Amino acid sequence: AETDTRLLTLTAAEFTAVLEQVPALASAAREAANARRAGRLAVGLDVEHHNIANLLQQRGQIRIGRADDNDLVFPAPTVSRHHALISVEDGRCRLTDLDSTSGTFLNGREVRGTVDMQDGDEISIVDNRFTFDRVRAAEMVTNVGIRVDVLRVRKVVGKGKIVLHDVSLTVLPGELTAIVGGSGAGKTMLLDAMSGVRPATSGEVRYDGRDYYAEMAQYRHTLGYVPQDDIIHQELPLRLTLRYAARLRLPRDTSPEELDAAADRALEQLGLTDRAEVRVGALSGGQRKRASIGIELLTKPRIFFLDEPTSGLDPSTDRHMMELLRELANDGKTVVLTTHATASIRLCDKIAVLARDGHLAFFGRPDEALRYFGVSEFDEIYDRLADELSPAEWGDRFRAMPAHAAIEAGQTQPRADAEAGRTSSASGGRSRGFAHALHQFRVLSRRNFDLYARFPANFIPLVMQPVVITLLLLALFPADLFVGDSENPTVPLQLVYTICFVVFLFGLLFAVQAIVSERAIFRRERMVNVRVLPYLMSKTSFLAPLLLVCTCLIVAVLWLLDRLPDAGLRDTYLPFLLTLVLTAWAGLALSLLISAVVNTSQMATDLLTPWIAPQVLFAGALLAVPAMNSVGKVLASFTAVRWSFEGSAAVTELKELFDRSTSPIGEALLIQYEESFGWSTYWYWAILAAFILVPLVLALVVLTKKTQPR
């Protein structure tokens, strides 16, 4: 049957006016809203009223936080126990951030220390927002879901290639929305533009009417993002993995009981309680995907972005994953995902269909998509996109439809003050103080320790390298090499060089996979304000002491079995050990730089040879540095083992050994190395320290740049 019903687009004010004029419509709207709320299909805002003036007058200040002893209690897990303070000093109202983890925001800007404020200023703490007013009651607004408006978003990469063409769409709270399309359609690019991982080149993304790119730091702890790669360590038990994630994402003052409760709550919500003690690597593909979602559930986010969450899953697991996302949306969360699979697409409220190169070919309900493309199955949409029109023509066709005009007309208008608070989209909020950095360093260091301690397959190869090398050195070099009448003083020279080379090699091999193997994990942790310096230094907190122990044991074994000179501890062996330890740490620092620069584990392995070869050729053992040509001398200056070898030769007094030798070889070596081994030991240590610091600083710069929104 056909009726004369018309679809009207009304502003909020116009709709309110209509409700006042038509009581029956108002009643129906209330019933519909109550039904949706009861069915947990979509929710809006929870609002409480508090009189700031009365609180200030009664107490002189207003304490805000998660703990019950605050004047304003916000129970969100990412709110610190004592988060912020409103006070009055000499008639001026002031807002102080109490070194919170998630930050306090005034008019969209993060508060650093204490700032003045006035009536009408907006205070935001995680997902709680209210307008400061000393006269009227303040509305405490807690977002239950987030509305996302994407307006004419365009993304340009490389040398001007456009990968998103003026995409506009709207996702409401409580909706499950899928971005579908073939390879090269720009699904991930659109998802990252909406989430801020890779902001759009032009256009706007609004969260509840706010310029998201301008206020990205405010949403850092209310947004969940699950990339296509797993964001969990496979070596740890699932519960422990969740607990470490909770320690990094929740405030520092979160108690152990609260951390355990957050992990258990996520496990229960995902149906993985019975797998809590299973190593993540032993879980099925679908369970690992759910575990990655569990990491995000720890902070109770209001909006979820998932990149190909069903990729590689069998049809049954695919269906279960989509049902889980449907449940998240039913709880009021905004859920956006990318997928190329269409078997469970009917569970979505809306789908965005992208043609190649980021042209929006359709946006609307799944059943509307079938009618729009004139097909009976969703897979047939891909055929039509590929065969009938060009990507640009598909985009132009949908842009000419009334549905597209309705999308842009129905989007929220930007706030008048949004531009005033605009900051760099790459800022991601301020770096917090030393206490936060130290907390992150401790958590990350303990996690790195557990990655080795709980997974012997990682630890055993590390300790076996020094054991095997020491046995080979004992088999290769005879005893009593450093006697005064040595017939071949080349042998002790080669032993000293070999020890310097192998400890550098240990450092190089120990950490070359340390960063690149968890790129996806670290990128996600950076989005929730894990700092680069604590992360980088945590990689040394276990490996650097391990290298120290291995180096000491190698030297001790060689000394006990008479491969090293019979000399004093203070004058010879302590300086010798320090030189070798600095050498090992130089290799460790270089390996961390390599691991930070490359994008794949294979590339990290491939780059080892170009760094190892100079340590052999230009260290001065095969050919003394003074005998090298000018190019060789320059390369030798940038070879860590060269300085380690020279420093060790000076400490072990190789020149004196050459001089005492009765063999012509000793005289020849004395001439060859006449200009070598002559510096103070402190200079060699300073140079080796530079070989440690420079790669670490470069790794810090590289990681900072690579993890910024692009």
Side-chain angles (χ1 to χ4, degrees), residues 431-434 436-437 440 444 522 525-526 529-536:
S431 294
R432 304 194 171 275
F434 176 76
H436 289 276
Q440 292 177 359
L444 292 168
F522 177 56
E525 290 176 345
R526 278 286 286 154
N529 214 31
V530 170
R531 297 171 64 177
V532 176
L533 183 59
Y535 173 80
L536 182 62

Side-chain angles (χ1 to χ4, degrees), residues 602-621:
Q602 184 61 48
M603 290 177 63
T605 303
D606 293 343
L607 281 179
L608 287 177
T609 301
W611 287 105
I612 292 175
Q615 315 303 323
V616 176
L617 299 176
F618 300 102

Side-chain angles (χ1 to χ4, degrees), residues 3 30 86 90 95 98 112-113 129 133 212 280 296 366 376 389 404 406 418 423 516 519 614 616 631 633 667 698:
T3 69
R30 283 194 299 271
I86 299 175
D90 300 327
L95 176 64
L98 301 178
R112 305 181 183 219
R129 185 177 296 116
D133 195 318
Y212 171 55
V280 171
E296 303 302 319
S376 58
L389 300 175
H404 185 273
T423 57
V516 68
R519 285 176 64 240
V616 176
V631 176
K633 291 178 180 178
E667 183 178 352
L698 292 177

Side-chain angles (χ1 to χ4, degrees), residues 373 383-390 393-394 397:
F373 288 101
D383 296 332
R384 292 208 59 187
L385 291 175
D387 299 337
E388 297 192 11
L389 300 175
S390 68
E393 289 173 330
W394 279 114
R397 178 186 175 188

Side-chain angles (χ1 to χ4, degrees), residues 405-436:
I407 291 172
E408 295 193 350
Q411 290 183 330
T412 56
Q413 296 301 309
R415 290 168 49 89
D417 59 347
E419 197 66 28
R422 191 174 185 89
T423 57
S424 170
S425 64
S427 65
R430 69 179 173 97
S431 294
R432 304 194 171 275
F434 176 76
H436 289 276

Side-chain angles (χ1 to χ4, degrees), residues 19-244:
L19 293 181
E20 293 176 352
Q21 297 175 10
V22 186
L25 180 59
S27 177
R30 283 194 299 271
E31 291 179 3
N34 290 334
R36 287 174 64 84
R37 192 171 292 111
R40 306 185 70 83
L41 293 175
V43 289
L45 304 173
D46 288 340
V47 181
E48 297 180 9
H49 293 81
H50 295 273
N51 195 311
I52 299 295
N54 287 344
L55 289 173
L56 281 175
Q57 184 176 5
Q58 294 170 7
R59 297 175 173 85
Q61 62 181 18
I62 300 175
R63 296 176 300 172
I64 306 172
R66 189 179 78 251
D68 293 336
D69 59 356
N70 290 284
D71 302 306
L72 294 179
V73 178
F74 296 149
T78 48
V79 176
S80 297
R81 293 184 65 84
H82 299 97
H83 195 108
L85 179 70
I86 299 175
S87 59
V88 178
E89 298 178 13
D90 300 327
R92 295 184 305 169
C93 292
R94 314 201 76 188
L95 176 64
T96 302
D97 178 77
L98 301 178
D99 197 28
S100 66
T101 298
S102 54
T104 303
F105 296 84
L106 183 67
N107 298 328
R109 293 184 180 274
E110 191 163 7
V111 174
R112 305 181 183 219
T114 301
V115 297
D116 292 333
M117 62 179 180
Q118 57 190 1
D119 289 347
D121 286 343
E122 183 182 74
I123 301 172
S124 299
I125 295 176
V126 188
D127 48 9
N128 305 279
R129 185 177 296 116
F130 64 95
T131 301
F132 178 73
D133 195 318
R134 287 171 291 181
V135 179
R136 294 176 297 179
E139 290 187 346
M140 306 293 175
V141 179
T142 302
N143 290 315
V144 182
I146 294 177
R147 173 187 174 126
V148 182
D149 290 302
V150 178
L151 180 61
R152 300 174 188 175
V153 157
R154 173 173 292 218
K155 181 69 176 181
V156 181
V157 299
K159 298 181 179 180
K161 181 180 180 180
I162 303 175
V163 293
L164 287 177
H165 287 77
D166 301 329
V167 174
S168 295
L169 54 87
T170 295
V171 182
L172 299 178
E175 286 188 339
L176 174 60
T177 300
I179 303 172
V180 301
S183 299
K187 300 187 297 296
T188 299
M189 199 66 69
L190 177 56
L191 186 84
D192 288 351
M194 296 174 67
S195 62
V197 174
R198 288 181 288 184
T201 306
S202 62
E204 290 185 61
V205 176
R206 300 175 191 150
Y207 281 17
D208 292 330
R210 299 168 180 273
D211 185 346
Y212 171 55
Y213 294 161
E215 303 183 18
M216 195 183 300
Q218 292 191 60
Y219 294 93
R220 183 172 56 239
H221 295 276
T222 60
L223 180 147
Y225 179 85
V226 181
Q228 187 169 356
D229 297 327
D230 290 337
I231 53 173
I232 45 178
H233 290 95
Q234 299 199 12
E235 299 85 349
L236 298 178
L238 178 55
R239 176 180 276 115
L240 185 60
T241 299
L242 292 172
R243 202 176 189 282
Y244 275 125

Side-chain angles (χ1 to χ4, degrees), residues 588-668:
L588 177 65
L590 179 60
S591 68
L592 289 174
L593 174 60
I594 294 173
S595 194
V597 169
V598 300
N599 293 323
T600 66
S601 295
Q602 184 61 48
M603 290 177 63
T605 303
D606 293 343
L607 281 179
L608 287 177
T609 301
W611 287 105
I612 292 175
Q615 315 303 323
V616 176
L617 299 176
F618 300 102
L622 292 179
L623 181 65
V625 174
M628 296 179 185
N629 62 31
S630 56
V631 176
K633 291 178 180 178
V634 171
L635 292 175
S637 298
F638 294 95
T639 303
V641 175
R642 176 259 177 107
W643 302 107
S644 173
F645 171 55
E646 291 198 6
S648 299
V651 169
T652 55
E653 300 180 342
L654 281 182
K655 272 188 161 182
E656 286 74 1
L657 180 65
F658 301 158
D659 189 41
R660 296 194 306 268
S661 175
T662 59
S663 167
I665 298 176
E667 183 178 352

